[in-house]
Amino acid sequence: MINSELQAENIILDTFKNEPFHTLFFLYDIKPLNVFEGGTCSDKVLSARSHFEKAGFSVRLHSSIIDNKECHRLLKLTINKREYFADVGNGWPSIKLFPAFRDHEYHCFGITFYSRVFKDHVKIYQKRDDQKRHTVTVPFDSMPEEEILQNISNRFDQTYPFTGKQRFAQVVKNRFLFLRDTDLHIYSDDGKTITSGVTSELLSKTLLNEFNFNLEDFLFKYKK
């Protein structure tokens, strides 16, 4: 069977529905038991890579630049001899492929994503809350996979912008939910709402009620 863009994007969407972006491993000082429990970009690219490989795609790990640092992981796929980037580890709902050979734009959950192709890189942008943001720069030449894997292996020894902060993001039915610190942002094609006051004491209740994620069961697996 010939792999297609649509098939790839179905896999991407499934990861955003079933494997949330979260900082729980950092917040609770634990390391994942497997790559299918969600997490930050490192965890999510490893999981998505296995899904793509199982479906027969040509896929490899790729690195990209945020805030002038080559620290963000994503995937590069080759489909019908053309290259695409899948930003499966993004906290935001980057649910479509970004072609390496042409500009692209799409809209989901009230957020617009668009990319611009340059000589040696692709820049990815978002428009949300009536503001445009440059989010990621993807160089065509990435650091080697072996180096990316080494960085992933050492990720818990590093400090990141989200270190010590509550982050939990997931596509839930026809909405995109993003808990950032104590604010729960809910995006949909009908607009955006914010629920404030999600303290660490309310985290478990919020995750269960809004994301159908049982934090107690999740943490129980890591008890010695």
Side-chain angles (χ1 to χ4, degrees):
M1 183 178 69
I2 298 176
N3 297 124
S4 68
E5 293 179 44
L6 178 60
Q7 183 187 5
E9 290 177 346
N10 285 337
I11 292 174
I12 295 171
L13 180 57
D14 282 345
T15 68
F16 277 93
K17 288 181 176 179
N18 301 319
E19 299 172 13
F21 178 95
H22 63 75
T23 56
L24 298 178
F25 298 122
F26 290 89
L27 284 176
Y28 292 96
D29 192 26
I30 53 180
K31 295 185 178 181
L33 296 173
N34 61 66
V35 298
F36 304 111
E37 298 183 299
T40 56
C41 66
S42 296
D43 307 288
K44 294 198 66 185
V45 295
L46 294 178
S47 169
R49 183 179 66 165
S50 79
H51 293 313
F52 278 118
E53 289 176 340
K54 185 176 180 180
F57 280 90
S58 172
V59 58
R60 60 180 290 111
L61 297 173
H62 200 84
S63 61
S64 61
I65 299 168
I66 295 179
D67 295 334
N68 298 316
K69 295 181 180 179
E70 194 172 349
C71 61
H72 184 57
R73 340 285 183 198
L74 40 72
L75 298 173
K76 181 167 72 173
L77 288 83
T78 302
I79 303 173
N80 298 328
K81 299 182 180 181
R82 288 186 162 182
E83 293 183 340
Y84 300 80
F85 298 108
D87 194 8
V88 292
N90 200 316
W92 297 96
S94 184
I95 61 174
K96 302 288 186 181
L97 293 168
F98 293 103
F101 51 89
R102 62 173 170 82
D103 297 349
H104 187 50
E105 180 174 320
Y106 68 92
H107 188 81
C108 65
F109 310 109
I111 305 170
T112 298
F113 292 78
Y114 59 101
S115 61
R116 298 292 180 263
V117 177
F118 297 88
K119 181 180 179 181
D120 59 358
H121 64 276
V122 176
K123 287 189 175 183
I124 300 174
Y125 303 83
Q126 282 184 36
K127 182 179 180 182
R128 53 182 164 84
D129 306 326
D130 294 322
Q131 293 185 8
K132 295 180 179 179
R133 300 170 172 84
H134 169 222
T135 57
V136 183
T137 296
V138 187
F140 291 150
D141 291 327
S142 164
M143 65 174 66
E145 269 198 327
E146 294 76 12
E147 187 174 348
I148 295 174
L149 287 169
Q150 185 62 46
N151 289 339
I152 289 175
S153 179
N154 296 334
R155 67 192 182 281
F156 293 105
D157 299 325
Q158 308 297 320
T159 299
Y160 300 95
F162 52 73
T163 298
K165 298 179 181 180
Q166 288 188 156
R167 295 288 188 273
F168 201 100
Q170 191 170 11
V171 173
V172 180
K173 296 182 179 178
N174 60 342
R175 304 183 302 169
F176 172 70
L177 281 60
F178 199 164
L179 176 63
R180 304 180 72 194
D181 298 319
T182 59
D183 292 335
L184 176 61
H185 302 252
I186 300 177
Y187 292 84
S188 73
D189 290 335
D190 296 324
K192 173 190 172 184
T193 62
I194 301 177
T195 300
S196 299
V198 185
T199 61
S200 57
E201 291 77 16
L202 294 175
L203 177 61
S204 180
K205 181 179 179 181
T206 300
L207 294 184
L208 186 61
N209 291 344
E210 300 293 345
F211 296 88
N212 194 30
F213 183 92
N214 193 310
L215 180 60
E216 279 72 23
D217 287 351
F218 176 81
L219 295 176
F220 182 78
K221 293 183 296 184
Y222 292 91
K223 288 186 177 181
K224 295 182 180 180

